[in-house]
Structure formats: structure tokens, C-alpha cells
Amino acid sequence: MRKMGWMLGLLLCSGCVTTELQYKEGITPLQRNRDVEACTRQATKRAPVASVSHTSQRYWVPARQHCNSKGCYWQGGYWAGGQTTVTDQNISARKRAYGQCMAQRGYQPIATQGCTGKVREAVMRTPQGRYPRLTAESCTVGMSDGTLKVYTP
């Protein structure tokens, strides 16, 4: 546990932090995806989406006269406001439930920097085996299919 905290500290201090994830050394991306899906389902059951909408009050903006060197003109009045926003009241509880589920499966939250340049290109082309031990030089690439690739030099 102390070792993981030390590595997390190194990762946070080693540059631009771009990825926060649940990590478990030695598993495959397929195993991780299954665990992520299972914990997402469990968290959604424990804290379902509770959407609440709020509409701001509408108000009338009266017509105004505008004058310049060429003369004056009127700009007609109009209604403003009335925007609706929707928020999920259970998002924090769902995130907590997800984190607890992943922790029960042996994952730990970490932050890594994203791979860049030629390293990123090489990581994207190579298949990911089991997730490696993390070091201060480790970086990640999120793939379009939802999988995560981790590179440790």
C-alpha cells in the first residue's frame, strides 16, 4: 500500500496529469473492461440516474433606440432566459459506489500522464498484454474502443 502511494506521488509530480483510472497490475484489458462494466452496472443500481431539470425565468428585454453618426434606429424587444439545465443528483453517490466496487476487486485509483508523440504511436500499434508494474515513466493511451493501454519503459 505504501509503495502504491509512493508511485502515485511520483506520477503526479512527473508532469502533466491527464488520466485518472482504476488500476490493477497483472490483469488484461479484457478483464479490466469486464470489471469496469460490472462495477458500472452495480453503481447504477445502487445510485440510479436522478435527473432534475431547472428552467431559468424568462424575461422581456424592451426595445432600445441606438444612435450613431448616421442617425438613430430602434432595436425591437425580445424574450431572454428560459434555458433549461438538467443535472444528475446521484452522480457523486454513483462515483463513490463505483470506486468501492473496484476497490473490492483489488483496483486502486491512480493518475498517469498520457503517452505522447512517437511513444503514443508505438503504444497504439502494439497489443496490450497484462498491465505492467507502474513507474514514474509510465503513461497511458485511451483507445477508441474503450480499452486502456499502459506503457512502462
Side-chain angles (χ1 to χ4, degrees), residues 26-53:
I27 64 167
T28 65
L30 183 59
Q31 290 169 315
R32 182 180 183 279
N33 285 351
R34 287 180 186 153
D35 289 339
V36 165
E37 289 172 10
C39 286
T40 299
R41 279 192 306 273
Q42 181 179 346
T44 303
K45 284 180 185 176
R46 286 178 58 188
V49 175
S51 295
V52 175
S53 63

Side-chain angles (χ1 to χ4, degrees), residues 73-84:
Y73 66 94
W74 283 86
Q75 179 182 12
Y78 59 92
W79 286 99
Q83 290 84 10
T84 300

Side-chain angles (χ1 to χ4, degrees), residues 102-124:
M102 293 296 279
Q104 289 171 349
R105 292 171 182 253
Y107 290 81
Q108 293 186 341
I110 63 160
T112 65
Q113 56 185 334
C115 299
T116 58
K118 291 184 180 187
V119 172
R120 178 182 171 80
E121 293 172 20
V123 170
M124 290 177 74

